[in-house]
Amino acid sequence: MKAFTRAAEMQTASLGLRSGGKSIGFVPTMGALHEGHLSLVRRARQENEVTVTSVFVNPAQFGPTEDYRKYPREPARDAQLLEREGVDFLFAPPVEEMYPPNFQTYATVEKVSAPLEGQFRPGHFRGVATVVLKLFNIIQPHRAYFGRKDAQQCVVIRRMVRELNLPVEIVVCPIVREPDGLALSSRNYYLNGEERRAARVLYRSLCRARELVEKGERRTEAIVREIRQLIEREPHARLDYVAVVHADTLEPVGRVAGATLIPLAVWIGRARLIDNLLIEESGSGLGFHL
Amino acid sequence: MKAFTRAAEMQTASLGLRSGGKSIGFVPTMGALHEGHLSLVRRARQENEVTVTSVFVNPAQFGPTEDYRKYPREPARDAQLLEREGVDFLFAPPVEEMYPPNFQTYATVEKVSAPLEGQFRPGHFRGVATVVLKLFNIIQPHRAYFGRKDAQQCVVIRRMVRELNLPVEIVVCPIVREPDGLALSSRNYYLNGEERRAARVLYRSLCRARELVEKGERRTEAIVREIRQLIEREPHARLDYVAVVHADTLEPVGRVAGATLIPLAVWIGRARLIDNLLIEESGSGLGFHL
């Protein structure tokens, strides 16, 4: 595995690969890698001739009161894991390389960035869109891999790629979960033992939502009420939001119909965790992705 | 010359050229082509194996009260001129191809977009940056050519390219002028005979500024006062702004020193015209670009 910290050097390598006819698969990460990230790397390896992973804790996507400074950083362990997975290139720039002094250029995806995470983390998706756009320009991937845990992020990136005519295929991969259902996240590291047990309430409440829909419930109101109740009953949990929205526009819907997303964000101790249930209408009925 | 109206088809052709090792020179235009545009095309032809020109009147860079609808459109004449210049590809998409319904992704270059044109045309440079970014992604150029008449546009694009890590070289070309000094612009078509004569005041006042600086004047205040007076004396002219600014940051400066830009915008009848003087410090003294 070859590691780069300079954008210009990484870009030169990527442009060389591209003009040499190699397909490039890209997995952007903020490091503190877990099996969720590694599942993306494995998929990228299967589908491309060359795999590039970036490790960059992006300050532009953290609010001033958020966990940018304490976000887990384990560069040596990350590099070792990626090497072991057969990643070809690691791009791990310092902050000043990505955001030099007087930096002032941003990408914004307006409507789909506004609700849900956007309401609780203003500016978050502007930071995400900007860094992903920069990374795409540096790494020049044919395909880029994202986890569906960050469902709204996937919607924002997919829309940005389409609307800015980027020649990149966005591949959204399944959520990887712990045996008890907790979605893998670097922020799970913030949880102590008791909080870790409490964190199961995210998955449990989404399972309950799936059960309701399977039994015929379609009303947003009823589904949301049930999830709220489950989370309110968990003493360590505090709900930021739960919603039932259209899976592509993220606009609220009154009933489950067609492609529907049920995302939620819950504070457990000092960790703010997110998870979601995606419901798709297939020929034979509803399909659930949890 | 091959003409495309669909972004996907243009992009497929460009990616093919790139992976075939061909260098691509790109000249973005809004059509109604004049010798200024053609000077860019000739430069692109000299420096690249393949030349692509786009013709697209970009609604996103016009304000609601501006001249989007009456902006001159001469697609057949434009195509003929480009064919004659040996352009290889013409990209001329319809509006809906560039801005499909529910379009919501924008690029903004914050600080350098704010003053000068930005104050009189809010949102203008967001529209410019967005369409140029889209066109770069579609056309995948190695080099892109812009005229220095739109000096602030060049600053905005150059900064966007650097900050978003786009692998494109921005080539800024000299202003092409009529024999009496008027900078070529598609908006000159709006002028009647009397207004056309009045329009000489832009060039004349910039020549006067150059003369003052050559004679040793360095104070912004004195230079601006002189230009204002010349323009106020012209009955058909109404000044939007004149300023003395740093050529890269566009921040106001109190004195001419180092790379300095003196841009102005003047209404002549229903035409809003811009022009500028660029002053650069060279080893032997000051260099003037007019």
Side-chain angles (χ1 to χ4, degrees), chain A residues 16 35-36 65 71-72 94 101 104 110 139 148 154 157 160 162 182 222 227-228 232 234-236 271 274 279 289:
Chain A
E35 280 294 317
T65 65
Y71 195 88
Q104 57 191 275
E110 296 192 337
I139 286 152
R148 199 178 47 76
C154 293
I157 299 299
M160 176 178 77
R162 190 168 61 226
L182 179 64
I227 292 177
R228 283 191 181 282
E232 276 163 18
E234 170 51 61
H236 288 284
I274 61 175
I279 306 173
H289 304 268

Side-chain angles (χ1 to χ4, degrees), chain A residues 208-226 244 254-257 260 262 279 286 288:
Chain A
R208 178 69 185 128
R210 177 177 58 186
E211 198 178 298
L212 285 173
V213 178
E214 279 175 332
K215 284 182 178 158
E217 183 60 80
R218 292 291 179 275
R219 294 167 305 157
T220 290
E221 204 190 346
I223 297 163
V224 161
R225 191 190 317 123
E226 186 88 4
V244 179
R255 297 176 57 80
V256 173
T260 306
I262 305 183
I279 306 173
L286 296 179
F288 296 89

